[in-house]
Amino acid sequence: MVDGPGTTGSTGEAPRGVRDAPDVLSPARLGPIRLRNRVIKAATFEGATPDALVTQELIDYHLRPAAGGVAMTTVAYCAVAPEGRTERRQLWMRPEALPGLRRLTEAVHDTGAAVSAQLGHAGPVADGRSNGLTSLAPMAGFNALSMRRNKAATAEDIDRVVRAHAEAALLAAEAGFDAVEIHLGHNYLASAFLSPRLNRRTDAFGGSLRARAAVALGITRAVRDALGDRLAITAKLNMKDGAPGGLTVDDSLQVARWLEADGSVDALELTAGSSLLNPMYLFRGAAPVAEFAANFPLPQRLAIRAVGRGVFRTYPYRPLYLLDSARQFRGALELPLILLGGVTDREGMDRAMAEGFEFVAMARALLREPDLLHRIGRDAATRSQCIHCNRCMPTIYTGTHCPLIEERAR
């Protein structure tokens, strides 16, 4: 992308010790593309695709942070196969989606920002009842999300899913995306295969870490082979699942080394947590159980209220809350890294740059204030108005947004 809004630096001086680090608001290269700064809008499910196709609401959702100054916005959860959707209203990559995707990318480009498509297969996180299709997982078993059984993915299923990622990446290129982000986190299919807790197979896809990583490594290689250097390729990788018996930092770091050696990705966005086993481990802050329950009919509502505190465990919020784990990756890899988690102000961004991260990613703070980056560029002392209440999370059922904006307007 050519330079656009947000390329100028802050009016404030960088903190002492950060002067040799790159300016977070300066242009940077990500693989074959040039971004106007180093701030990426992270993928968050938009809840704006009722027919699994692009809508004007989805376009507007991404126009807000793009016009607000981010370098690149990420379209979330573009499923590579119909059974790979978290639920039936989720966008999935197919020819029918192409016209809407082109409208979206053109609109974002008009703001001077780049746009990425997050490609993934939900695997055991998919709601088979909603999709009308059986969910795939490393192991067969009961799926509490759909109240049905998962199917253990066969070698043929895995081959199909790997090819589907490559085909979806080519469709993204045809639609005008600048980048694709491959979802290897949150116990989606590739991440579930990485987890020793969820993957107890004894074939070529289970047992050793190398075998458990075969799906993730196969997907990233297939996407690179399909795209070459046409688009930037990033991957969202769990550093740890945050659940007993799940993926650990040490194992994840080895997977990251393999990805770096293979040359299949241009950068890693480092994440954590399990949509199945410990969803709040990624988000930190308050757990909005009552708000989640309100989206369901009465019997389910009562059940969610009864067990919700056990499922949605609360972790205190602090700035840069994934930095301690991410620092281990930075020390071991040459690959560009994107720091996610509690990035809300110039101080945190500068610290990330000083620690050697090439990019930072923001999500919830941009729901509250889509123009936050422009405001930070004008005044380095700007503080985010996000209070980390996480009440935006349950709004995915009606269109993801910050409820505090509505309350403030009343």
Side-chain angles (χ1 to χ4, degrees):
M1 289 297 298
V2 298
D3 290 349
T7 60
T8 57
S10 164
T11 56
E13 290 189 0
R16 188 173 300 170
V18 185
R19 295 180 187 279
D20 294 334
D23 182 347
V24 71
L25 297 182
S26 66
R29 294 206 69 82
L30 175 59
I33 66 173
R34 188 170 187 263
L35 299 177
R36 64 188 181 184
N37 58 57
R38 299 163 187 265
V39 182
I40 295 170
K41 165 65 174 72
T44 47
F45 183 51
E46 304 92 347
T49 53
D51 298 316
L53 294 167
V54 173
T55 61
Q56 187 59 47
E57 289 75 18
L58 182 68
I59 295 172
D60 291 342
Y61 178 99
H62 288 282
L63 282 178
R64 288 190 285 271
V70 300
M72 182 164 70
T73 185
T74 310
V75 181
Y77 302 163
C78 301
V80 300
E83 85 284 351
R85 295 170 288 173
T86 55
E87 51 92 38
R88 63 180 175 79
R89 293 169 295 179
Q90 185 179 95
L91 180 67
W92 67 283
M93 301 295 276
R94 62 205 193 278
E96 292 86 346
L98 192 56
L101 292 170
R102 282 181 176 145
R103 290 197 306 273
L104 189 157
T105 60
E106 289 170 0
V108 171
H109 288 156
D110 284 344
T111 71
V115 56
S116 176
Q118 184 188 64
L119 305 179
H121 190 292
V125 181
D127 184 342
R129 175 180 294 178
S130 176
N131 294 332
L133 298 164
T134 302
S135 302
L136 296 178
M139 311 287 294
F142 179 71
N143 186 326
L145 295 173
S146 64
M147 304 301 289
R148 295 183 177 187
R149 287 184 62 80
N150 292 325
K151 173 191 174 185
T154 64
E156 291 74 20
D157 289 325
I158 293 168
D159 182 63
R160 174 178 59 83
V161 170
V162 169
R163 284 186 283 106
H165 278 80
E167 292 163 1
L170 290 172
L171 191 68
E174 189 175 353
F177 283 91
D178 304 282
V180 294
E181 177 186 276
I182 304 167
H183 204 324
L184 306 180
H186 306 164
N187 287 163
Y188 277 43
L189 188 62
S191 174
F193 269 90
L194 287 171
S195 167
R197 173 168 173 171
L198 299 175
N199 180 1
R200 299 184 301 279
R201 295 168 71 118
T202 58
D203 63 359
F205 300 100
S208 71
L209 177 61
R210 186 77 195 201
R212 299 199 315 272
V215 173
L217 297 174
I219 288 170
T220 56
R221 174 39 54 190
V223 171
R224 174 62 76 188
D225 288 345
L227 288 179
D229 292 328
R230 294 171 60 188
L231 274 63
I233 302 172
T234 68
K236 192 165 197 171
L237 177 67
N238 257 24
M239 295 183 288
K240 52 185 174 181
D241 292 346
L247 185 70
T248 64
V249 169
D250 287 345
D251 280 358
S252 178
L253 185 51
Q254 180 57 64
V255 175
R257 289 190 180 103
W258 287 331
L259 288 167
E260 179 177 67
D262 186 55
S264 55
V265 299
D266 296 307
L268 290 176
E269 181 175 293
L270 300 172
T271 187
S274 168
S275 296
L276 287 174
L277 305 172
N278 196 358
M280 294 307 299
Y281 193 75
L282 167 61
F283 293 99
R284 312 295 167 96
V289 174
E291 288 84 354
F292 265 115
N295 288 283
F296 293 88
L298 190 59
Q300 291 171 280
R301 187 184 311 164
L302 295 176
I304 292 171
R305 282 182 173 271
V307 303
R309 293 297 173 190
V311 175
F312 293 96
R313 282 166 271 176
T314 299
Y315 294 88
Y317 174 87
R318 62 182 174 86
L320 306 184
Y321 53 81
L322 293 181
L323 178 59
D324 289 345
S325 295
R327 189 181 283 123
Q328 299 178 56
F329 288 72
R330 182 65 291 162
L333 302 168
E334 296 296 325
L335 190 66
L337 298 179
I338 305 165
L339 182 66
L340 174 71
V343 179
T344 63
D345 57 26
R346 182 65 196 248
E347 181 181 0
M349 294 174 186
D350 286 340
R351 184 175 178 191
M353 297 296 105
E355 296 259 4
F357 295 91
E358 284 77 10
F359 301 91
V360 294
M362 305 174 70
R364 287 171 291 175
L366 293 174
L367 283 178
R368 181 71 188 269
E369 300 170 277
D371 65 341
L372 179 59
L373 194 60
H374 272 328
R375 294 177 56 240
I376 289 173
R378 292 191 295 267
D379 179 2
T382 298
R383 295 292 182 223
S384 167
Q385 295 179 22
C386 179
I387 62 172
H388 321 294
C389 65
N390 291 316
R391 288 172 56 198
C392 54
M393 293 172 62
T395 69
I396 61 173
Y397 302 101
T398 55
T400 306
H401 64 280
C402 174
L404 300 182
I405 295 175
E406 297 174 350
E407 293 174 6
R408 186 178 179 182
R410 290 173 187 163

